[in-house]
Amino acid sequence: MKRLLIPSSALLWGLQFAFLSPALALLLVALYNATAAEVGWVLAVSNASAFVASWLVPAYADRKQNYLAPMLGCGILTLALAGLLAATTSLPVAVVGLIVLGGPAGVGSSLLFAHLRHSGASITDSMNTRAIVSFAWVAGPPLATFIMGTLGNRAILLAIGAVAVLNIGTTAAMISRRQRRLEERGASAGGDGDSHPMSTAAIAAVFVGFIALHAANRSAVSIMSLFVTQKLGLDVMWAGVILGVSAAAEIPALLLIGRLGRRFSSRALLTSGCVTGIAYYAAMAFATSPAVLVALQVLNAWSFAMVAGVGLTLFQQIIPRPGLASGLFTNAARLGAVVSGAVIGLGSTTALGYQGVFAASAALTVLAMVILSVAGRTTGRRREPGGAEQPQPAGAAR
């Protein structure tokens, strides 16, 4: 039972937002009669709330050295949000709920990985947990669509509430188990044996590099349907097949990366992900066959698994505070989504058309690889309290 708590929590957090995120725009229109413009600004302000919460809540958890209690609060807020959205028919009330309740509730998944780091989990454990979240995102949207199609749009809110209740129960069990362990050991748990802190400037560079990586991936995913239907003249079904294959292949990729993490540094694995990503985007810029598009998703899955899995591990290695590390990584993804809008707008206006977006994504990935390489080299020396610089151990900047 104990071994099932973390995997169960990862699955539930993944399902919770795999249900809500893809369905939110539809719910705004169907339940609250929102216009297209209103949907746009509601999603913008709710994402802004989540962005701010991803800084504040993990910072609080870091100060308290306790990530499970805030995670329990996130589960309670999700339950409250589902209840509010189900009870109201007013768009302004729904918006307030998304800002006040939904923003902080979305930090739960980040806190889970911060807890893993704080409790001394290995890279393999983190990767396996991340693979479970990815599985939830593969299964969640189709399941949400099925629930809404058979039981009505409001039924998805009931499903989200049910998942939140299970999440609250799982987190409460984790808190109880942690308390017993602390009482038995007489000391707080925590592990940072593989931490390799960077300077603030180097961390900022890594942050920028990951914004670029996420922007490249989000641009390619967002443009896929238009590329398949308007550029290649294929049925929209192919876009679903392509994205589905990529998402499904990400799961074994994460599991394999967890095993490779025992033999190779995070920096080496991340470099392989960047190189694979560059190859994928470059190939997509010239691909025209559906079979080739599907086959290329193996490269895409490996690249994004590196960014999503190894990236989180890297942030936790270079930032001593697990909550801040997880929150910063999450916000890099959010800012990457914002930047992707400009990438799509500029890339699609080139002579290549929609394929220009893939070319721009390849260029962004090259830029990110250079930035991350330079940032990694800045950790070659560290300053001791007396002011003298001392050489770092080999492989420390991982």
Side-chain angles (χ1 to χ4, degrees):
M1 179 64 181
K2 294 179 180 179
R3 293 187 177 184
L4 293 177
L5 286 177
I6 293 294
S8 298
S9 182
L11 179 63
L12 291 169
W13 279 114
L15 282 177
Q16 189 166 292
F17 293 99
F19 279 173
L20 179 60
S21 297
L24 183 55
L26 178 60
L27 291 176
L28 291 172
V29 174
L31 302 183
Y32 314 112
N33 298 315
T35 64
E38 288 172 335
V39 169
W41 68 258
V42 170
L43 293 178
V45 296
S46 62
N47 283 327
S49 171
F51 182 85
V52 174
S54 291
W55 291 98
L56 298 181
V57 177
Y60 170 81
D62 282 331
R63 287 196 300 271
K64 297 295 184 179
Q65 290 290 288
N66 185 347
Y67 304 93
L68 293 178
M71 194 166 80
L72 179 65
C74 290
I76 294 172
L77 288 177
T78 303
L79 181 60
L81 175 64
L84 177 65
L85 294 180
T88 187
T89 56
S90 168
L91 180 61
V93 172
V95 172
V96 171
L98 288 169
I99 294 173
V100 176
L101 303 175
V107 186
S109 182
S110 295
L111 290 173
L112 173 61
F113 286 98
H115 168 69
L116 281 174
R117 173 66 178 177
H118 181 64
S119 61
S122 66
I123 292 178
T124 300
D125 292 333
S126 296
M127 293 297 178
N128 291 344
T129 304
R130 182 64 179 80
I132 294 172
V133 175
S134 294
F135 172 77
W137 273 94
V138 172
L143 182 56
T145 302
F146 175 78
I147 292 172
M148 295 170 72
T150 56
L151 302 177
N153 293 324
R154 205 175 291 271
I156 193 61
L157 297 174
L158 179 61
I160 292 171
V163 171
V165 170
L166 294 174
N167 222 340
I168 291 170
T170 301
T171 306
M174 293 167 64
I175 291 174
S176 176
R177 180 191 175 200
R178 177 179 181 271
Q179 186 60 37
R180 287 197 300 270
R181 291 175 62 189
L182 293 181
E183 291 174 355
E184 291 171 359
R185 296 180 181 180
S188 61
D192 58 355
D194 62 342
S195 292
H196 309 294
M198 284 184 170
S199 67
T200 301
I203 292 173
V206 171
F207 184 63
V208 171
F210 272 85
I211 291 175
L213 289 174
H214 282 292
N217 178 266
R218 180 61 68 91
S219 299
V221 170
S222 299
I223 206 67
M224 187 65 73
S225 295
L226 290 174
F227 171 65
V228 167
T229 57
Q230 297 190 19
K231 181 68 175 183
L232 302 183
L234 301 172
D235 190 278
V236 70
M237 175 199 70
W238 281 106
V241 170
I242 290 167
L243 295 175
V245 168
S246 177
E250 181 187 329
I251 298 170
L254 283 165
L255 296 175
L256 178 58
I257 291 169
R259 298 177 66 86
L260 292 175
R262 301 170 183 171
R263 300 177 56 190
F264 302 98
S265 69
S266 298
R267 187 169 157 186
L269 291 173
L270 190 58
T271 299
S272 78
C274 289
V275 172
T276 305
I278 294 167
Y280 167 71
Y281 296 129
M284 286 294 292
F286 299 98
T288 57
S289 166
V292 172
L293 294 178
V294 172
L296 286 174
Q297 297 316 304
V298 175
L299 298 179
N300 187 29
W302 182 260
S303 175
F304 184 71
M306 288 292 183
V307 173
V310 178
L312 176 60
T313 300
L314 177 64
F315 271 71
Q316 291 179 334
Q317 287 175 337
I318 66 177
I319 301 174
R321 296 160 55 188
L324 176 62
S326 299
L328 199 63
F329 177 77
T330 299
N331 279 339
R334 289 196 174 101
L335 289 177
V338 174
V339 174
S340 70
V343 175
I344 292 172
L346 295 174
S348 60
T349 59
T350 64
L352 292 173
Y354 292 125
Q355 288 169 308
V357 176
F358 293 109
S361 294
L364 269 178
T365 306
V366 171
L367 175 63
M369 186 167 63
V370 172
I371 292 174
L372 294 173
S373 177
V374 172
R377 294 179 188 280
T378 64
T379 60
R381 302 181 71 82
R382 58 183 168 89
R383 189 173 296 277
E384 291 294 324
E389 290 186 345
Q390 302 294 332
Q392 286 274 46
R398 294 193 299 169

